[in-house]
Amino acid sequence: MQYQPGERVRIRVASPSGHYRTPTYIQGKIGVIEAVHGAFRNPETLAYGGDGRPKQPLYLVRFDQTHIWARAESAASVPFCQNDRLLIDIYEHWLEPAPEE
Amino acid sequence: MREHDAPDPHLPLEEDAGLTYYEQRVEAIQALLIEKGLLSADDVRRAVEDMEARSPAVGARVIARAWVDPHFKRHLLADAKAAIATLGINVDTWSTLVAVENTPAVHNVVVCTLCSCYPRSLLGVPPDWYKSLNYRARVVQEPRTVLKEFGLELASDMEVRVYDSTADMRYLVIPQRPAGTEGLSEAALAELVSRDSMIGVTRAREPSP
């Protein structure tokens, strides 16, 4: 495991051909490792009849909603509030260390 | 939800309209597997029957136990699959279950933006809205607007946590136990646990007075 809970990471920006499980809306965003799920077979080869090995560490990564969506909160409807978070499962090869703050 | 364009539920299914490419492919593969004796039509039928027999009542049993048994709840939060196995409930072998707890300060809600990952072994077949592009696209961008459409308004200082289950984890929300349920039996408590409260788009039902 390259990353520990509490560490800041950035989601890689990439669009490889074939099957991958990292949605584009989260690519390039900076989050914090919330939990380490363990090692799981890689869906990118598993999807094509491969064995998914070597297994990839899988992390739960936490983001501030206010960081992901650059949107003004309108008065009519509040899409999210200051404390709201998004948590998403990301395989290690999609993570890179976040730049210094 | 904003856009309801579900077809009339009383219309007959248009099975004669022709199969899609993937339907044809699945039928061809199934026919080959049967022809080669690797499985039978009855195996396929039974698997579909088992899949459709699972219902949110299974998940509700787990939640009710967590409400009455703090030791079980700790186990459920630490290792959901192992905890659920102690109730004699069989969970999928390949995916890993994670239980997340709603509290007065935190509200959790689950989505799969990439497809429709869902804890089927505990909740059965997902509702159509869970698989809709509308829910999947919007609950990550405007969770409070979507929850409001489901009738759930949360204080602005609460933390709303949206789980996007993109990988091998299946998330189960433990709703808050409603007030005034101290005297209820575990079975009566389970009646208050709706499917939607375990997805996190609503709270558990209030007990009837």
Side-chain angles (χ1 to χ4, degrees):
Chain A
M1 306 288 163
Q2 193 184 332
Y3 304 99
Q4 303 301 318
E7 240 176 287
R8 292 171 70 249
V9 290
R10 181 161 65 188
I11 311 302
R12 275 180 42 222
V13 179
S15 49
S17 61
H19 178 77
Y20 57 95
R21 307 284 309 170
T22 307
T24 48
Y25 78 83
I26 210 67
Q27 294 186 13
K29 304 296 181 190
I30 292 171
V32 173
I33 303 288
E34 173 87 1
V36 183
H37 288 311
F40 289 85
R41 292 196 287 164
N42 186 348
E44 290 164 29
T45 53
L46 208 51
Y48 299 98
D51 63 5
R53 293 176 198 279
K55 286 185 173 181
Q56 279 290 324
L58 179 66
Y59 300 86
L60 180 63
V61 189
R62 182 184 76 234
F63 297 84
D64 291 345
Q65 289 283 19
T66 51
H67 166 64
I68 308 174
W69 312 107
R71 183 205 301 222
E73 294 187 7
S74 70
S77 166
V78 178
F80 48 79
C81 293
Q82 198 61 33
N83 296 334
D84 294 349
R85 308 272 188 271
L86 181 109
L87 298 103
I88 183 167
D89 294 328
I90 303 286
Y91 295 91
E92 187 171 272
H93 61 291
W94 279 91
L95 300 179
E96 56 194 21
E100 297 293 322
E101 279 180 287
Chain B
M1 300 293 292
R2 196 179 286 160
E3 288 157 25
H4 287 282
D5 37 13
D8 178 348
H10 304 293
L11 287 175
L13 294 174
E14 296 291 341
E15 285 176 358
D16 299 335
L19 297 176
T20 66
Y21 169 78
Y22 286 104
E23 286 168 342
Q24 289 180 36
R25 191 163 133 169
V26 166
E27 293 218 340
I29 292 170
Q30 183 178 323
L32 272 172
L33 289 169
I34 290 171
E35 191 183 302
K36 290 181 181 298
L38 291 166
L39 51 77
S40 68
D42 190 54
D43 290 334
V44 176
R45 183 206 55 74
R46 200 174 325 118
V48 172
E49 191 177 50
D50 286 348
M51 227 179 330
E52 293 184 347
R54 295 184 216 146
S55 86
V58 180
R61 223 182 106 201
V62 173
I63 303 300
R65 174 62 61 88
W67 282 349
V68 300
D69 181 347
H71 173 78
F72 177 79
K73 188 168 86 179
R74 275 196 299 277
H75 193 189
L76 185 64
L77 289 167
D79 184 349
K81 210 164 171 175
I84 288 164
T86 67
L87 301 184
I89 296 168
N90 189 21
V91 183
D92 301 324
T93 49
W94 59 272
S95 62
T96 303
L97 260 172
V98 177
V100 292
E101 184 183 16
N102 285 352
T103 70
V106 174
H107 183 90
N108 301 285
V109 55
V110 181
V111 65
C112 171
T113 58
L114 294 178
C115 44
S116 55
C117 296
Y118 189 75
R120 288 172 183 247
S121 50
L122 295 175
L123 302 188
V125 178
D128 287 347
W129 60 257
Y130 184 84
K131 299 185 279 185
S132 71
L133 287 175
N134 183 313
Y135 177 75
R136 288 159 51 199
R138 292 178 57 231
V139 78
V140 290
Q141 291 183 63
E142 41 181 29
R144 286 180 186 256
T145 311
V146 172
L147 292 177
K148 197 172 168 183
E149 289 168 21
F150 278 102
L152 181 61
E153 286 195 66
L154 299 167
S156 59
D157 59 349
M158 272 186 87
E159 179 181 346
V160 173
R161 289 162 77 91
V162 180
Y163 280 81
D164 187 357
S165 49
T166 46
D168 297 71
M169 303 293 142
R170 296 293 172 271
Y171 292 94
L172 174 75
V173 174
I174 308 177
Q176 280 187 268
R177 180 172 174 168
T181 56
E182 291 73 18
L184 293 186
S185 69
E186 202 173 317
L189 286 170
E191 293 288 320
L192 304 178
V193 185
S194 67
R195 174 194 70 196
D196 291 359
S197 72
M198 292 182 278
I199 303 173
V201 294
T202 186
R203 297 189 178 95
R205 298 185 186 101
E206 300 289 328
S208 41

